[in-house]
Amino acid sequence: MVTALMIILAIASALLIISVLMQPGNSDGLSGSIAGGAEQLFGKKKARGYESILHTATIVFIVIIVVLSLVIGTIQVRG
């Protein structure tokens, strides 16, 4: 059982890395930090479409990884 959970954990970790790498960067470089930094910091920008899917997938994979890590750790401590 632990082996199956570890395989699922490895797959979820790989998918998390892929989902993070596929997300577009939101930095505008030096000019963006000088001119529009406050707008980006205080403005509420909602992700739309493809970005929203990647954002949601990232959160889901993070939750899966944390839960699986806790379950595997608990099983190994008891066993």
Side-chain angles (χ1 to χ4, degrees), residues 5 8-9 11-13 15-17 19-20 54-72:
L5 290 175
I8 295 170
L9 181 64
I11 293 170
S13 299
L15 291 173
L16 175 65
I17 291 169
S19 70
V20 168
L54 286 175
H55 180 72
T56 305
T58 302
I59 293 172
V60 168
F61 291 135
I62 289 172
V63 170
I64 290 171
I65 289 170
V66 168
V67 169
L68 283 176
S69 298
L70 291 173
V71 169
I72 292 171

Side-chain angles (χ1 to χ4, degrees), residues 15-70:
L15 291 173
L16 175 65
I17 291 169
I18 291 169
S19 70
V20 168
L21 289 176
M22 289 179 64
Q23 291 181 10
N26 58 356
S27 65
D28 293 329
L30 185 58
S31 63
S33 64
I34 294 173
E39 179 181 329
Q40 185 178 7
L41 180 63
F42 297 113
K44 299 232 177 200
K45 290 179 71 177
K46 294 255 182 184
R48 305 219 184 254
Y50 180 69
E51 295 173 5
S52 176
I53 293 171
L54 286 175
H55 180 72
T56 305
T58 302
I59 293 172
V60 168
F61 291 135
I62 289 172
V63 170
I64 290 171
I65 289 170
V66 168
V67 169
L68 283 176
S69 298
L70 291 173

